[in-house]
Amino acid sequence: MSIVNAVIQGILLGGLYALFAAGLSLMFGVMRLVNLAHGAFAVLAAYGALLIVRTGALNPIAALLIIVPAMAVLGFVVQRFILQRTLGTSPLPALLVTFGLSIIIENTLLLTVTADQQRLNLGSFDTAAIALPGGIRIGAFPLAVFVFALVVLALLSLVLSRTQYGRLVRAVSDDPGTVQLNGADPKLIYGFAAAIAFGLVAVAGVASGVQTSFSPSSGSLFLIFAFEAVIIGGLGSLWGTMLGAVVLGIAQTVGAAIAPAQQILIGHLVFLVFLAFLPGGITRQKALR
Amino acid sequence: MTDLLSRRSASSTQRVSRWTPSSAVGTSAGAVLIVALAALPYLINLATIYAMIDLFVLLILASTWNLLAGFGGMVSVGQQAYIGLGAYSLVTLADLLGVNVFLAIPIAAIVSALVAIPVSYLAFRLVGGYFAVGTWVIAEVFRLVTIQIPQVGGGAGVSISAMSGFPRDLRIAVGYWVALVCVVVVVGSCVLLVRSRFGLALTALRDDPTAAATSGVNVDASKRLVYLISAAGAGVAGTLIAISTLRVQPSGVYDVQWSAFMIFMVVIGGVGTLEGPIIGAVIFWLLKQALAEYGSAYLIGLGILGVLFVLFARRGIWGLVSRRGRVDLFPVGYRLRLPDQTRRKQ
């Protein structure tokens, strides 16, 4: 029964990882850029929420109303003024710059808010749970995050498949030059994609801050989990990313049930097994390049 | 191709030379520098000698990371996997198996390269940015597995007793000489590699992978070889860290900060050149000596400087120096000398 419980907790954890992974996946899909500072920006958002919670009367969820737009603007600005300059045939400059950004953010946080572990508090909602037969308890907050992830991914795939902006995004992803010839500005499309990705990562950072503790150096694990979810799911597929996130979540919670304290290693190993035997991911995408 | 180019033309005095005035000066200066460096422990204080070992480690890391990223086009954020593997191989070989500590260094390098073979088959399934994060995950796996092994101290790390036969002063001097030999071998190998026929393939790969493949370069095999060589280099760096600090801790040798340092050195110096990483390593080492006590503020400064270089001076300091035409410190290119003394680049 503890395994069943672990699987259920893993699926819910997958919702959180899907939120982390969606932004990474979106930015790669649109501008072929892997943002190595993805996790660092999530941590930045979590600290932003912490600051708001401490000073004002807002709780972490209400703080999202400020943090998400702020991060979206930051994403737009970072894309237009920094990342845009690094885009080109070689992935090298973008990687170097985003890795540099992650170091700058992590160390700025270390200087300003210390290395202490922090946590965002939601009061009674934190511990509220739905009891199921067999002693399984489903936390209300993880469940809410999972449902929210599903809704966000559904919205995102609707936007990408049905709206004018979505058509532009898909076109620019295939061939930015031709899009520009047709009168649309790829830079603007990239900027909005970055804004959406940063908004998503802000939600993920805050949600993670409620579920577990975080510190300035948490960013690298966030990035790694997002990356593992994307690869397990298969590049270029949003629902694949959701599936990959759930697989990673289950691998970690079941791993923890089998070998306590080894959940991260077991998650990595499951990822490597997927990489070895199913390199296209669950959705079997061929386009790794 | 080398034969073809170096063959003298029968009819005239034109010939192909691999040397330029700058590379002749650079290489002789390098040889003099090595001799001077070898004599250094007799001349200056031990604290500086000890700090110089750190410089040699950085030189090795920068040169081999540059081979990987600058020539192979593979941005790895996971070379610390092999730094750790090298360090732990040395501990295992020298302390647990009783192998001579100096013999253990090349063996550890070979171990790193051998382990890199299966790892490369996994990592090469990813490209670009995903390759970068993939190598990071693999390094994390190395770290998490290492802390499970009680024989090498688990998470707490292990002290090295193989060097305890030497008195302290001699130990530092010996560590310095060993590191100097390693740096000469590794940087020399990088120069010879780039100068060789394989280096020509690598340079083509650096400039345009597709065109290189069309011209008959085996892209996959070349990249894999570069990956193995870089792993061996990082392994050597790991052994030197172990020998000089006398303690190996998982959180230290497997720290992703090593990757940050490698990237910084290569970006500042000039990616895809032989000279750039050397300049970058020296600058980084000087900055570290002067500013490392500032901790986070120092790292923020490094991050900002690195980002500015990528955005505005992508070819690094060496790129700025050699902007007005090609300057080489090492004889790696080909020059066509015509009878009227005008020189052309080949």
Side-chain angles (χ1 to χ4, degrees):
Chain A
M1 196 46 91
S2 69
I3 292 295
V4 176
N5 185 38
V7 169
I8 291 172
Q9 306 305 333
I11 293 171
L12 296 181
L13 186 59
L16 178 63
Y17 292 164
L19 281 179
F20 276 116
L24 192 72
S25 186
L26 181 70
M27 279 182 83
F28 180 76
V30 177
M31 58 195 107
R32 298 283 171 258
L33 178 142
V34 176
N35 180 8
L36 294 182
H38 193 69
F41 281 113
V43 176
L44 187 66
Y47 274 103
L50 189 69
L51 203 68
I52 293 171
V53 169
R54 277 187 181 164
T55 53
L58 294 176
N59 71 22
I61 302 295
L64 281 177
L65 295 174
I66 300 169
I67 291 295
V68 171
M71 286 296 288
V73 170
L74 181 67
F76 190 87
V77 170
V78 166
Q79 203 290 324
R80 286 305 298 275
F81 294 102
I82 300 176
L83 301 184
Q84 183 62 41
R85 293 170 178 274
T86 67
L87 297 179
T89 48
S90 164
L92 194 79
L95 287 172
L96 302 180
V97 164
T98 53
F99 194 64
L101 285 178
S102 75
I103 290 166
I104 295 169
I105 294 170
E106 182 179 330
N107 285 287
T108 306
L109 286 174
L110 277 173
L111 267 189
T112 50
V113 297
T114 74
D116 295 346
Q117 296 275 333
Q118 301 288 351
R119 198 160 180 169
L120 291 164
N121 209 320
L122 270 184
S124 61
F125 195 46
D126 258 353
T127 47
I130 303 159
L132 290 184
I136 295 167
R137 288 168 61 84
I138 295 181
F141 186 76
L143 184 65
V145 170
F146 184 82
V147 172
F148 183 78
L150 281 180
V151 171
V152 162
L153 286 182
L155 273 178
L156 201 55
S157 59
L158 260 181
V159 166
L160 289 180
S161 60
R162 301 289 155 121
T163 65
Q164 179 63 16
Y165 175 71
R167 277 186 284 277
L168 280 172
V169 163
R170 282 180 289 136
V172 88
S173 168
D174 286 340
D175 188 346
T178 309
V179 170
Q180 196 157 21
L181 281 178
N182 284 300
D185 184 2
K187 290 180 190 167
L188 212 57
I189 300 166
Y190 290 162
F192 283 122
I196 296 173
F198 275 57
L200 282 172
V201 89
V203 178
V206 172
S208 172
V210 174
Q211 250 171 279
T212 58
S213 56
F214 59 95
S215 72
S217 52
S218 303
S220 46
L221 265 190
F222 290 162
L223 170 71
I224 285 175
F225 292 160
F227 155 80
E228 288 177 335
V230 169
I231 301 295
I232 292 174
L235 286 180
S237 157
L238 274 178
W239 291 112
T241 298
M242 180 81 204
L243 268 178
V246 168
V247 168
L248 181 65
I250 294 174
Q252 289 185 355
T253 49
V254 172
I258 297 167
Q262 302 300 330
Q263 66 266 35
I264 292 174
L265 177 59
I266 289 167
H268 290 338
L269 293 177
V270 167
F271 156 75
L272 290 178
V273 168
F274 268 91
L275 191 59
F277 298 106
L278 209 62
I282 297 172
T283 51
R284 294 179 173 277
Q285 301 286 323
K286 281 181 195 157
L288 263 184
R289 278 159 214 271
Chain B
M1 194 161 203
T2 311
D3 299 338
L4 190 73
L5 284 172
S6 57
R7 194 165 54 204
R8 283 187 180 207
S9 174
S11 59
S12 73
T13 55
Q14 68 190 24
R15 63 196 180 87
V16 171
S17 165
R18 306 215 59 175
W19 292 85
T20 62
S22 68
S23 71
V25 171
T27 306
S28 351
V32 173
L33 186 67
I34 292 166
V35 174
L37 284 173
L40 215 55
Y42 296 107
L43 304 172
I44 59 174
N45 66 21
L46 274 176
T48 315
I49 291 297
Y50 187 71
M52 294 282 287
I53 301 176
D54 194 29
L55 171 64
F56 294 158
V57 168
L58 295 172
L59 279 169
I60 291 172
L61 289 175
S63 294
T64 52
W65 193 85
N66 174 57
L67 215 52
L68 197 62
F71 288 97
M74 295 171 277
V75 180
S76 167
V77 198
Q79 285 301 95
Q80 64 273 20
Y82 302 108
I83 299 177
L85 188 63
Y88 275 102
S89 298
L90 183 100
V91 174
T92 310
L93 287 163
D95 275 9
L96 299 181
L97 302 175
V99 177
N100 177 295
V101 66
F102 304 114
L103 189 62
I105 294 173
I107 299 176
I110 293 167
V111 168
S112 296
L114 288 179
V115 171
I117 297 172
V119 169
S120 76
Y121 279 92
L122 271 179
F124 282 20
R125 298 197 158 198
L126 303 162
V127 292
Y130 287 121
F131 173 84
V133 193
T135 56
W136 191 354
V137 172
I138 290 165
E140 280 297 289
V141 169
F142 276 40
R143 181 177 68 84
L144 292 169
V145 169
T146 303
I147 61 177
Q148 312 289 324
I149 305 172
Q151 285 80 4
V152 289
V158 62
S159 293
I160 295 159
S161 51
M163 296 293 283
S164 57
F166 296 103
R168 181 177 166 275
D169 292 1
L170 184 61
R171 175 173 61 73
I172 291 174
V174 166
Y176 171 88
W177 281 314
V178 168
L180 180 62
V181 169
C182 290
V183 101
V184 170
V185 168
V186 171
V187 176
S189 304
C190 288
V191 173
L192 290 177
L193 195 75
V194 172
R195 186 181 151 94
S196 71
R197 181 190 165 88
F198 178 64
L200 203 58
L202 276 186
T203 313
L205 201 62
R206 172 192 70 184
D207 293 340
D208 190 334
T210 316
T214 334
S215 312
V217 175
N218 187 339
V219 173
D220 261 12
S222 307
K223 282 187 162 186
R224 202 176 307 283
L225 187 56
V226 167
Y227 186 76
L228 300 194
I229 294 168
S230 302
V236 169
T239 63
L240 296 178
I241 292 167
I243 286 178
S244 71
T245 60
L246 297 179
R247 185 158 181 85
V248 180
Q249 282 175 299
S251 55
V253 284
Y254 290 114
D255 195 341
V256 71
Q257 208 160 60
W258 287 112
S259 282
F261 294 164
M262 289 183 231
I263 292 173
F264 179 82
M265 291 186 285
V266 173
V267 164
I268 293 289
V271 64
T273 63
L274 285 167
E275 295 85 355
I278 297 175
I279 296 170
V282 173
I283 290 174
F284 175 72
W285 179 73
L286 290 173
L287 287 174
K288 196 176 163 190
Q289 297 301 314
L291 304 169
E293 62 197 272
Y294 294 99
S296 288
Y298 157 74
L299 291 170
I300 295 169
L302 289 188
I304 292 173
L305 199 58
V307 167
L308 289 178
F309 262 89
V310 178
L311 292 180
F312 301 110
R314 199 160 287 177
R315 294 176 60 219
I317 291 173
W318 186 248
L320 296 175
V321 170
S322 61
R323 190 170 42 184
R324 298 168 191 280
R326 278 186 54 174
V327 185
D328 290 314
L329 290 187
F330 301 108
V332 292
Y334 292 93
R335 296 289 188 288
L336 179 62
R337 304 257 162 104
L338 296 171
D340 61 359
Q341 294 302 311
T342 54
R343 295 192 190 103
R344 286 252 198 88
K345 269 194 295 193
Q346 184 72 32

